[in-house]
Amino acid sequence: MSKLAEYEGPILEIDKLSISFFTRLREIPAVMDFSCVVQPGEAMGLVGESGCGKSTVALGVMQDLGVNGHIVGGSIKFKGRDLGEMSADELRGIRGNEIAMIYQEPMASLNPAMKVGRQLMEVPMIHEGISESDAYQRALEVVTDVKLPDPERILKSYPHQLSGGQQQRIVIAMALMSKPSLLILDEPTTALDVTVEAAVVDLVKDLGKKYGTSMLFISHNLGLVLETCDRICVMYSGEAVETGSIKDVFDKMQHPYTQALFRSIPLPGTDKNAHPLVAIPGNFPLPHERPPGCNFGPRCDYFREGLCDIDQRVPMADIPGDDRHRSRCLRIDEIDWNAPVAASIKTAKTEPGDVILKMDKLKKYYEVAANALFGGGGATKVVKANEELTFEARESETLAIVGESGCGKSTFAKVLMGLETATEGQILLDNKNIESTPIQKRDTKTVADVQMVFQNPFDTLNPSMTVGRQIMRALEVFGIGKTDGDRRKRMLELLDLVKLPRAFADRMPRQLSGGQKQRVGIARAFAGGARIVVADEPVSALDVSVQAAVTDLLMEIQRENKTTLLFISHDLSIVRYLSDRVMVMYLGHVVELGTTDQVFAPPYHPYTEALLSAVPIADTRVEKQHIVLEGDIPSAMNPPPGCPFQTRCRWKDQVPGGLCEKEVPPQRSMADGHQIKCHLAQDILERMEPVIKVAAE
Amino acid sequence: MGLFILRRTGLMLLTCLCLTFVVFFLTNLYPNLEKLAKSQGNVRMTDAQVASWLENRGYDRPMPVKYGEWLGVVPGWTYQNQDGDTLGRCVSITRDAETAPRFCGVLQGWWGQSTVFKEPVASVVGDKLGLTGRLMFWVMLLMVPSALVLGVLAGMREGSTTDRTLSTFAITTTATPEYVSGVILIAVFTSSAVGLKWFKGTATSAMDNPTFENFFLPVLTIALYGMGYIARMTRASMAEVMTAQYVRTARLKGVSFPNIVMKHALRNALIAPFTVIMLQFPWLLNGVVIVETLFNYKGFGWTLVQAAGNNDIELLLGVSVVSVIVVLVTQLISDIGYVYLNPRISVT
């Protein structure tokens, strides 16, 4: 099938689109009155929290809304033709050929039982009817374009044989096979590590330019949109609330939600004590419980009764003077958009107390059988998950542990919790060795002292037990309270502590939102008066506006209880915001350790430098050095000789004699409490430039 | 791979050993032996007569020794009767005390003598296994393809009219036991009540000369029952695969619906039911008892009933060993086949 005739004008025009899902009970409007235009070669960012309808818009463009979804109003025009009026056959000719899509989870969106090459070749074979060998040539070309090493081998592999980053490149390659005019990217990098994400984003930008493709980029990450897109559309609860060029929206935002969103993400300059984040109050309204009038009304600081809550749709209004900048607010002209943040509560910096946790040369190795099903024989392999961790944590201190997947941060947490025992070295809790005591053998006090807040609040609560019961169960285990009545009282106090209404005690976890579940998780962790709390990516599964609230809550409880917080994260922005000290890990090694200021300023370890450069920052004033790491993180089963980072390090040639490939670098002390594991000479380290520069106002 | 098969074989032998010992122990309990003596000899035997009958036939010695004899690691028993003739376990093979071997057990290839059929166990089991094997073969040939087609058709559009119709059919067949469906089929297709005298109501003649007429009904009865089960599994698996993200990817690549089903969904959807299909083999082997009895087809299941009912020790042991081997071999095939269907599991 050939492409549609050359068309002058916008690639995609969405006009007053409304999409609803129909259930037996009611009609659920998912998208209302959504308009946007994508010009040729333009990249449009679609931003919003989960449930705001951004993915529904994408599926609406693809005309793939399932059995229950229907377009109930408006139109979607692609190159001037209404997609809603096309026959199934015509649509099939456009899907994958003219409009291609890149998905959130690369592993799930590739067929596990089909070789990668086949899946790629299928696209031109369907749409252009070319022969198998031509299709193979094309696949080879595109796979080379997405910078995958050894394309022929890749084409012969099954998806599970590739790493996450490689899989996403394959999905991108698949989308580009027919050189589409419009590319829809649905959270394309959410499942990837930051350095891999940076490389993939780079690739998408380059390819977009090379092929002249227009893009619809869906993301919840404002920083990412800033880096990739020309225009942005912010969505809230099914509506576009503000749209315009990146510069206008980021610097001259004209909608309270956009403003609140920016204030709730940790940008450079925010600080947990002096400039805390401002969380958006309240919860995201469910689609069938939207308020009358402005959807954002109940959570808005500028809400005015009698104006914002009249049961009438708020229209989009043009902002005069800007390029196609529009906002859905009734009070645009009345609000002083440049007013500083209303005085937020400043708190004094807490001074760290005594050392309560000490790690000394802690090592954790795993032995794994070569394969599970037909194993038995064959040599077992050793996974070196942690190599020589040495550090201390003090009372009421926040120590952040940063690193990408596979760096050993979760293994460390497991060893500390007692879910695994250490291979070598020691963990001292109040000068008592606990490294080889598994959790079953720890006394109640130790267990209650060291607690954990988990990454995914959706999986860590028992779905068939009420919230209150689960917290009381924890109290029971920790031996707190003599009677059930005592424990119930304490449980209600804990709910107060995490700012949940007491009525939640009798609710089931499924009745709670993600942020509320995470609060329950926090209450459970603090039930026994924990002194050390390991927070394993506690907010990464939550929406941006909720993240701020949960983070603040964690900080507040920590301040009151003088808890030591070990904050495991891959998100450097939030780490910078809340931690006192930072430990950067790579492949089981601690490559850098120091106070937050020391780690975020040069001299850096080369990996820290790359990590800082990779994190997208949603601030137009920030200038970043552009460092893209090649390749993937090596497997911990087969680590490179010498320095673990040598395979991807851009400074490697500055070290004479190939030392990086021979020896693991020693831990060097740069300044008081600042340690770096690197072979680079002192003067080179000192000459490093800061990665992030905030331009003067 | 070779090592894997070797380990599985070892496991199989161990299982056989354990299972046969359990069977041996239970069948050699005194009340069972007494029953054997009375059914083989005379119902009105006195206790003393029973004791001497058992002594004459070597049943009165310690259990481990007897088990060892059956295995062939302990010399077979001999007994001199009043007439001066030498009787013994091994003597009954050659009918001559002089040339009889000292050891005669499973290890030597002698599976013993069936007390019910008065024939060597090996030949009884072999014959009957052949008959049931033929039944099984045709059942599988009918059941598996139709179940898969049914399941895939139902699962590819979950909730559609096709799905509901086929699912209802599948549930009905599975929910109807063989003794009900068998009787209904016989009543409808063979009796003069309905008038459709298409098939024969008995499969006895099929043992020597199977034809469509005398063999189809037992095959259909078993296949119907098993089919619903496999179809339900396939449907569930197919329905799940059809909602998978990679199927959406394929759809949004512009792949047509028939190609989505054939190229993208089918192989993934077959991974789960494959194990279930392989589990049908052991079930068929023993579960056919009812159908074999109903259609008077003297196969393996029927033999098992005869052996158990008459406390035929050595025949029961033989049947147990065959069953264990069939179960474990089909599971081995199922594991290996799984590797070929699912590329995420590798052999090396």
Side-chain angles (χ1 to χ4, degrees):
Chain A
M1 238 178 272
S2 65
K3 309 241 174 185
L4 294 181
E6 284 302 311
Y7 175 74
E8 303 281 324
I11 294 288
L12 184 72
E13 290 169 274
I14 302 179
D15 188 38
K16 296 196 167 59
L17 177 72
S18 295
I19 298 174
S20 289
F21 289 93
F22 292 88
T23 65
R24 280 183 201 192
L25 280 176
R26 59 172 85 84
E27 172 188 349
I28 297 174
V31 174
M32 294 166 296
D33 189 21
F34 179 89
S35 304
C36 94
V37 174
V38 182
Q39 301 289 348
E42 196 176 60
M44 176 74 156
L46 211 51
V47 178
E49 297 172 81
S50 55
C52 73
K54 52 191 194 302
S55 294
T56 311
V57 169
L59 290 176
V61 172
M62 286 308 236
Q63 298 285 318
D64 189 57
L65 290 163
V67 203
N68 302 323
H70 294 285
I71 294 178
V72 290
S75 65
I76 306 170
K77 282 194 183 136
F78 175 73
K79 288 189 176 174
R81 291 189 57 193
D82 194 334
L83 287 169
E85 287 167 6
M86 287 194 185
S87 69
D89 254 0
E90 283 175 302
L91 274 176
R92 219 172 36 240
I94 281 185
R95 288 172 182 165
N97 186 23
E98 298 254 33
I99 310 177
M101 197 157 169
I102 294 170
Y103 314 87
Q104 180 164 3
E105 287 169 62
M107 180 72 208
S109 44
L110 290 173
N111 190 336
M114 204 170 173
K115 285 189 178 152
V116 166
R118 283 255 134 235
Q119 300 191 46
L120 287 176
M121 285 153 62
E122 203 178 33
V123 179
M125 283 166 74
I126 295 169
H127 293 296
E128 291 160 43
I130 61 176
S131 70
E132 203 155 308
S133 56
D134 287 351
Y136 183 78
Q137 282 310 319
R138 175 88 64 89
L140 217 55
E141 226 170 85
V142 178
V143 170
T144 318
D145 266 1
V146 296
K147 294 182 189 152
L148 279 169
D150 201 356
E152 287 182 26
R153 184 185 58 84
I154 297 256
L155 287 182
K156 273 188 228 132
S157 348
Y158 284 104
H160 69 275
Q161 291 162 331
L162 309 177
S163 72
Q166 289 176 330
Q167 284 169 1
Q168 193 57 293
R169 281 165 198 262
I170 289 296
V171 175
I172 293 171
M174 198 151 77
L176 293 173
M177 279 301 281
S178 270
K179 305 197 168 54
S181 327
L182 176 66
L183 202 55
I184 301 176
L185 301 101
D186 190 357
E187 306 256 6
T189 55
T190 310
L192 306 177
D193 274 317
V194 259
T195 57
V196 181
E197 171 183 88
V200 168
V201 165
D202 225 41
L203 175 77
V204 169
K205 269 199 296 190
D206 285 354
L207 292 174
K209 271 194 208 113
K210 181 176 167 186
Y211 291 92
T213 314
S214 304
M215 287 193 263
L216 190 61
F217 193 99
I218 298 172
S219 181
H220 65 278
N221 189 331
L222 285 165
L224 210 54
V225 169
L226 169 67
E227 285 186 3
T228 46
C229 299
D230 309 310
R231 298 180 63 77
I232 182 176
C233 175
V234 182
M235 287 187 79
Y236 180 78
S237 192
E239 289 177 327
V241 292
E242 185 166 1
T243 173
S245 68
I246 292 280
K247 199 144 181 47
D248 287 342
V249 175
F250 274 62
D251 295 345
K252 299 190 287 180
M253 54 198 79
Q254 301 283 313
H255 193 277
Y257 175 65
T258 320
Q259 191 185 45
L261 206 57
F262 275 97
R263 287 182 179 170
S264 66
I265 54 176
L267 295 174
T270 53
D271 176 300
K272 66 174 165 178
N273 297 311
H275 298 280
L277 299 180
V278 185
I280 305 178
N283 279 313
F284 200 82
L286 291 173
H288 54 274
E289 289 171 356
R290 292 196 178 110
C294 177
N295 280 341
F296 188 59
R299 304 174 73 189
C300 181
D301 290 339
Y302 307 104
F303 178 75
R304 180 176 290 172
E305 234 173 288
L307 176 69
C308 298
D309 56 357
I310 297 172
D311 198 359
Q312 198 181 5
R313 303 296 309 280
V314 181
M316 277 294 234
D318 278 309
I319 310 292
D322 288 346
D323 171 35
R324 291 174 287 155
H325 185 184
R326 312 174 78 198
S327 165
R328 196 185 289 274
C329 182
L330 292 168
R331 304 189 60 208
I332 300 173
D333 301 328
E334 299 165 39
I335 298 169
D336 177 8
W337 294 103
N338 295 319
V341 184
S344 48
I345 314 138
K346 291 184 185 171
T347 46
K349 193 173 184 318
T350 44
E351 281 307 313
D354 300 330
V355 173
I356 57 169
L357 183 72
K358 208 173 156 179
M359 301 279 158
D360 191 25
K361 294 192 174 144
L362 182 78
K363 282 187 189 175
K364 176 68 192 172
Y365 292 175
Y366 287 103
E367 277 189 8
V368 287
N371 68 70
L373 181 58
F374 298 109
T380 52
K381 286 185 174 170
V382 176
V383 178
K384 296 177 178 174
N386 285 155
E387 287 267 30
E388 304 233 347
L389 299 188
T390 307
F391 66 92
E392 300 173 340
R394 292 165 182 276
E395 191 185 72
S396 65
E397 177 186 55
T398 307
L399 174 65
I401 302 173
V402 180
E404 297 176 89
S405 55
C407 75
K409 51 194 199 301
S410 298
T411 305
F412 154 73
K414 278 186 196 158
V415 175
L416 176 61
M417 297 298 297
L419 298 170
E420 303 272 357
T421 51
T423 312
E424 229 175 86
Q426 36 184 352
I427 305 176
L428 295 168
L429 175 68
D430 298 327
N431 284 324
K432 237 173 37 197
N433 283 66
I434 56 166
E435 73 278 354
S436 47
T437 328
I439 194 150
Q440 305 88 330
K441 292 190 184 148
R442 290 189 179 181
D443 54 50
T444 315
K445 186 165 177 316
T446 314
V447 175
D449 270 354
V450 187
Q451 276 299 310
M452 193 155 173
V453 177
F454 299 93
Q455 175 169 16
N456 194 341
F458 304 92
D459 295 341
T460 42
L461 295 180
N462 185 341
S464 57
M465 217 192 235
T466 62
V467 167
R469 193 67 240 155
Q470 300 197 35
I471 299 176
M472 281 161 73
R473 180 76 196 124
L475 291 169
E476 217 175 299
V477 171
F478 298 148
I480 292 170
K482 287 195 181 61
T483 61
D484 239 25
D486 281 359
R487 283 194 280 268
R488 186 163 178 84
K489 205 167 139 265
R490 174 84 186 117
M491 181 267 292
L492 292 174
E493 284 166 20
L494 280 166
L495 285 182
D496 295 345
L497 179 76
V498 295
K499 296 185 177 134
L500 285 177
R502 287 190 167 200
F504 274 39
D506 300 316
R507 297 224 183 146
M508 286 299 188
R510 63 170 181 277
Q511 294 167 294
L512 271 55
S513 71
Q516 289 164 343
K517 280 185 200 166
Q518 194 58 295
R519 281 165 196 262
V520 176
I522 293 172
R524 194 166 59 173
F526 282 91
R531 292 166 59 212
I532 299 175
V533 169
V534 181
D536 188 359
E537 310 246 10
V539 294
S540 66
L542 306 176
D543 271 318
V544 190
S545 70
V546 184
Q547 274 185 10
V550 173
T551 314
D552 276 351
L553 173 77
L554 212 53
M555 294 285 99
E556 202 181 313
I557 300 176
Q558 181 197 17
R559 250 194 299 271
E560 277 166 27
N561 299 3
K562 299 200 168 181
T563 320
T564 305
L565 193 64
L566 298 182
F567 190 87
I568 298 178
S569 181
H570 69 274
D571 182 352
L572 283 171
S573 308
I574 202 145
V575 163
R576 176 184 208 149
Y577 168 72
L578 59 74
S579 58
D580 302 315
R581 287 200 300 144
V582 179
M583 184 166 109
V584 183
M585 288 183 73
Y586 187 79
L587 267 188
H589 292 263
V590 177
V591 294
E592 187 165 357
L593 175 68
T595 64
T596 308
D597 293 339
Q598 284 168 342
V599 172
F600 280 79
Y604 304 108
H605 184 278
Y607 176 62
T608 317
E609 186 191 27
L611 209 54
L612 281 172
S613 163
V615 177
I617 298 172
D619 194 331
T620 48
R621 294 167 303 155
V622 167
E623 272 176 44
K624 280 199 308 185
Q625 247 190 87
H626 192 70
I627 304 165
V628 171
L629 290 183
E630 295 296 324
D632 283 314
I633 303 172
S635 152
M637 207 150 7
N638 192 10
C643 175
F645 189 55
Q646 52 116 330
T647 52
R648 300 167 81 197
C649 183
R650 65 171 190 144
W651 296 86
K652 193 175 150 191
D653 50 4
Q654 309 260 3
V655 176
L659 201 58
C660 296
E661 287 166 19
K662 288 181 205 144
E663 277 173 44
V664 178
Q667 193 77 264
R668 286 161 55 186
S669 201
M670 303 302 295
D672 183 34
H674 187 202
Q675 295 174 331
I676 290 182
K677 213 180 223 184
C678 187
H679 282 307
L680 279 176
Q682 191 72 25
D683 59 316
I684 299 178
L685 283 173
E686 271 162 18
R687 263 188 280 133
M688 278 186 176
E689 305 247 319
V691 176
I692 300 169
K693 275 188 239 159
V694 179
E697 293 273 328
Chain B
M1 184 80 168
L3 196 77
F4 171 72
I5 293 174
L6 210 69
R7 271 197 315 151
R8 277 301 185 86
T9 315
L11 185 75
M12 192 154 77
L13 288 178
L14 199 71
T15 317
C16 282
L17 211 63
C18 296
L19 185 81
T20 48
F21 185 76
V22 171
V23 173
F24 198 86
F25 177 80
L26 291 175
T27 48
N28 273 289
L29 292 174
Y30 191 77
N32 283 333
L33 291 178
E34 189 181 347
K35 189 176 136 210
L36 177 70
K38 285 184 176 169
S39 61
Q40 291 294 315
N42 185 343
V43 187
R44 280 184 286 276
M45 279 200 280
T46 62
D47 286 356
Q49 282 171 313
V50 168
S52 90
W53 189 90
L54 289 177
E55 194 191 349
N56 280 348
R57 284 158 186 80
Y59 286 114
D60 62 334
R61 287 152 320 103
M63 192 98 65
V65 178
K66 285 192 285 183
Y67 186 63
E69 282 174 1
W70 179 78
L71 274 183
V73 292
V74 173
W77 58 272
T78 49
Y79 180 78
Q80 213 97 34
N81 69 359
Q82 289 111 337
D83 307 336
D85 293 337
T86 309
L87 300 176
R89 181 184 164 84
C90 306
V91 182
S92 54
I93 309 173
T94 53
R95 313 220 172 269
D96 180 13
E98 297 302 312
T99 57
R102 239 164 71 73
F103 294 92
C104 52
V106 174
L107 292 179
Q108 286 78 28
W110 173 244
W111 289 80
Q113 182 84 2
S114 162
T115 48
V116 182
F117 296 103
K118 317 282 182 216
E119 257 183 86
V121 168
S123 76
V124 176
V125 170
D127 286 353
K128 305 297 179 192
L129 203 59
L131 287 175
T132 296
R134 191 157 68 206
L135 186 62
M136 269 166 75
F137 173 77
W138 288 107
V139 167
M140 283 290 172
L141 211 64
L142 177 68
M143 177 174 76
V144 175
S146 49
L148 291 183
V149 169
L150 216 65
V152 168
L153 284 179
M156 68 186 195
R157 288 186 201 271
E158 196 182 4
S160 64
T161 323
T162 327
D163 177 23
R164 287 186 194 167
T165 319
L166 294 180
S167 293
T168 311
F169 175 69
I171 293 172
T172 315
T173 61
T174 299
T176 317
E178 300 105 313
Y179 49 83
V180 175
S181 55
V183 168
I184 294 174
L185 287 177
I186 290 175
V188 172
F189 291 112
T190 66
S191 72
S192 48
V194 179
L196 294 175
K197 292 187 171 178
W198 293 356
F199 304 108
K200 285 203 169 129
T202 161
T204 318
S205 53
M207 292 194 293
D208 305 319
N209 174 32
T211 61
F212 183 68
E213 194 187 20
N214 62 22
F215 206 46
F216 183 68
L217 276 191
V219 169
L220 184 67
T221 311
I222 304 175
L224 271 182
Y225 184 62
M227 183 167 72
Y229 190 59
I230 299 178
R232 293 293 295 164
M233 290 291 298
T234 315
R235 178 195 168 273
S237 169
M238 187 72 188
E240 196 192 315
V241 167
M242 286 308 282
T243 60
Q245 286 197 24
Y246 55 82
V247 168
R248 188 184 71 183
T249 309
R251 201 165 55 230
L252 298 188
K253 262 201 291 198
V255 184
S256 62
F257 189 77
N259 272 330
I260 289 177
V261 173
M262 295 306 292
K263 286 190 186 159
H264 288 268
L266 201 60
R267 182 169 166 189
N268 288 298
L270 286 185
I271 294 173
F274 182 71
T275 323
V276 179
I277 296 170
M278 293 313 285
L279 274 174
Q280 297 293 307
F281 279 101
W283 168 77
L284 277 179
L285 194 64
N286 298 302
V288 290
V289 174
I290 293 166
V291 174
E292 287 184 357
T293 313
L294 193 66
F295 289 94
N296 200 20
Y297 185 79
K298 290 172 179 151
F300 195 71
W302 180 83
T303 312
L304 177 68
V305 174
Q306 292 299 315
N310 294 296
N311 206 43
D312 189 340
I313 297 170
E314 300 200 314
L315 186 57
L316 267 179
L317 288 170
V319 169
S320 318
V321 170
V322 169
S323 306
V324 170
I325 290 174
V326 168
V327 171
L328 292 182
V329 165
T330 49
Q331 289 319 292
L332 182 75
I333 295 171
S334 134
D335 281 349
I336 294 170
Y338 198 76
V339 172
Y340 285 102
L341 271 178
N342 191 348
R344 272 168 293 186
I345 294 172
S346 81
V347 188
T348 44

Coordinates of all heavy atoms in Angstrom, one line a residue, chain B residues 214-237:
Chain B
N214 N -17.6 -50.2 15.1 CA -17.5 -50.7 16.4 C -16.6 -50.0 17.4 O -16.6 -50.2 18.5 CB -17.2 -52.2 16.4 CG -15.8 -52.5 15.8 OD1 -15.0 -51.6 15.8 ND2 -15.6 -53.7 15.3
F215 N -15.8 -49.0 16.8 CA -14.7 -48.4 17.6 C -15.0 -46.9 17.9 O -14.5 -46.3 18.8 CB -13.4 -48.6 16.9 CG -12.2 -48.6 17.9 CD1 -12.3 -49.3 19.1 CD2 -11.1 -47.8 17.6 CE1 -11.2 -49.3 19.9 CE2 -10.0 -47.8 18.5 CZ -10.1 -48.5 19.6
F216 N -15.9 -46.3 17.1 CA -16.0 -44.9 17.2 C -16.6 -44.4 18.5 O -16.2 -43.4 19.0 CB -16.8 -44.3 16.0 CG -16.9 -42.8 16.0 CD1 -15.8 -42.0 15.7 CD2 -18.1 -42.2 16.2 CE1 -15.8 -40.7 15.8 CE2 -18.2 -40.8 16.2 CZ -17.0 -40.0 16.0
L217 N -17.6 -45.1 19.0 CA -18.3 -44.6 20.2 C -17.4 -44.6 21.4 O -17.4 -43.5 22.1 CB -19.6 -45.5 20.4 CG -20.8 -45.0 19.6 CD1 -22.0 -45.7 20.2 CD2 -21.0 -43.5 19.7
P218 N -16.7 -45.6 21.7 CA -15.8 -45.5 22.9 C -14.8 -44.3 22.7 O -14.5 -43.6 23.7 CB -15.1 -46.8 23.0 CG -15.4 -47.6 21.8 CD -16.7 -47.0 21.2
V219 N -14.2 -44.2 21.5 CA -13.3 -43.1 21.2 C -14.0 -41.8 21.5 O -13.5 -40.9 22.2 CB -12.7 -43.2 19.8 CG1 -12.0 -41.9 19.4 CG2 -11.9 -44.4 19.6
L220 N -15.2 -41.6 21.0 CA -15.9 -40.3 21.1 C -16.2 -40.0 22.6 O -16.1 -38.9 23.0 CB -17.2 -40.4 20.3 CG -18.0 -39.1 20.2 CD1 -17.2 -38.0 19.5 CD2 -19.4 -39.3 19.6
T221 N -16.6 -41.1 23.3 CA -17.0 -40.9 24.7 C -15.8 -40.3 25.5 O -16.0 -39.3 26.2 CB -17.4 -42.2 25.3 OG1 -18.4 -42.8 24.5 CG2 -18.0 -42.0 26.7
I222 N -14.6 -40.9 25.3 CA -13.5 -40.4 26.1 C -13.1 -39.0 25.5 O -12.8 -38.1 26.3 CB -12.3 -41.4 25.9 CG1 -12.7 -42.8 26.4 CG2 -11.1 -40.9 26.7 CD1 -11.6 -43.8 26.2
A223 N -13.1 -38.9 24.2 CA -12.6 -37.6 23.6 C -13.4 -36.5 24.1 O -12.9 -35.4 24.4 CB -12.6 -37.7 22.1
L224 N -14.7 -36.7 24.1 CA -15.6 -35.6 24.5 C -15.3 -35.0 25.9 O -15.2 -33.8 26.1 CB -17.1 -36.1 24.5 CG -17.9 -36.0 23.2 CD1 -19.3 -36.5 23.4 CD2 -17.8 -34.5 22.7
Y225 N -15.1 -36.0 26.8 CA -14.8 -35.6 28.2 C -13.5 -34.8 28.3 O -13.4 -33.8 28.9 CB -14.7 -36.9 29.0 CG -14.6 -36.6 30.5 CD1 -15.5 -35.8 31.2 CD2 -13.4 -37.0 31.2 CE1 -15.4 -35.6 32.5 CE2 -13.3 -36.7 32.5 CZ -14.2 -36.0 33.2 OH -14.1 -35.7 34.5
G226 N -12.4 -35.3 27.6 CA -11.1 -34.7 27.7 C -11.1 -33.4 26.9 O -10.4 -32.4 27.3
M227 N -11.8 -33.4 25.8 CA -11.8 -32.2 24.9 C -12.2 -30.9 25.6 O -11.5 -29.9 25.5 CB -12.7 -32.5 23.8 CG -12.7 -31.4 22.7 SD -13.5 -32.1 21.2 CE -15.2 -32.1 21.8
G228 N -13.3 -30.9 26.3 CA -13.8 -29.7 27.0 C -12.7 -29.1 27.9 O -12.5 -27.9 27.9
Y229 N -12.0 -30.0 28.6 CA -11.0 -29.5 29.5 C -9.8 -28.8 28.8 O -9.5 -27.7 29.1 CB -10.4 -30.7 30.3 CG -9.6 -30.4 31.4 CD1 -10.0 -29.6 32.5 CD2 -8.3 -30.9 31.5 CE1 -9.2 -29.3 33.5 CE2 -7.4 -30.6 32.5 CZ -7.9 -29.8 33.6 OH -7.1 -29.5 34.6
I230 N -9.3 -29.5 27.7 CA -8.2 -28.9 27.0 C -8.7 -27.6 26.3 O -8.0 -26.6 26.3 CB -7.7 -29.8 25.9 CG1 -7.1 -31.1 26.6 CG2 -6.6 -29.2 25.1 CD1 -6.6 -32.1 25.7
A231 N -9.9 -27.6 25.8 CA -10.4 -26.4 25.1 C -10.6 -25.3 26.1 O -10.2 -24.1 25.7 CB -11.8 -26.7 24.5
R232 N -11.0 -25.5 27.3 CA -11.1 -24.4 28.3 C -9.7 -23.8 28.6 O -9.6 -22.6 28.6 CB -11.7 -25.0 29.6 CG -13.1 -25.4 29.5 CD -14.1 -24.2 29.2 NE -14.1 -23.3 30.3 CZ -14.6 -22.0 30.2 NH1 -15.1 -21.6 29.0 NH2 -14.6 -21.2 31.2
M233 N -8.7 -24.7 28.7 CA -7.4 -24.2 29.0 C -6.9 -23.4 27.8 O -6.3 -22.3 28.0 CB -6.4 -25.4 29.2 CG -6.6 -26.2 30.5 SD -6.2 -25.2 31.9 CE -4.4 -25.0 31.6
T234 N -7.1 -23.9 26.6 CA -6.6 -23.2 25.4 C -7.3 -21.9 25.3 O -6.7 -20.8 25.0 CB -6.8 -24.0 24.2 OG1 -6.5 -25.4 24.4 CG2 -6.1 -23.5 23.0
R235 N -8.6 -21.9 25.6 CA -9.3 -20.6 25.4 C -8.8 -19.6 26.4 O -8.6 -18.4 26.0 CB -10.8 -20.9 25.8 CG -11.6 -19.6 25.7 CD -13.0 -19.8 26.3 NE -13.5 -18.4 26.5 CZ -13.4 -17.7 27.5 NH1 -12.6 -18.1 28.5 NH2 -13.9 -16.5 27.6
A236 N -8.6 -20.0 27.7 CA -8.1 -19.0 28.7 C -6.8 -18.5 28.3 O -6.5 -17.3 28.3 CB -8.0 -19.7 30.0
S237 N -5.9 -19.4 27.8 CA -4.6 -19.0 27.4 C -4.6 -18.0 26.2 O -3.9 -17.0 26.1 CB -3.7 -20.2 27.1 OG -2.6 -19.9 26.5

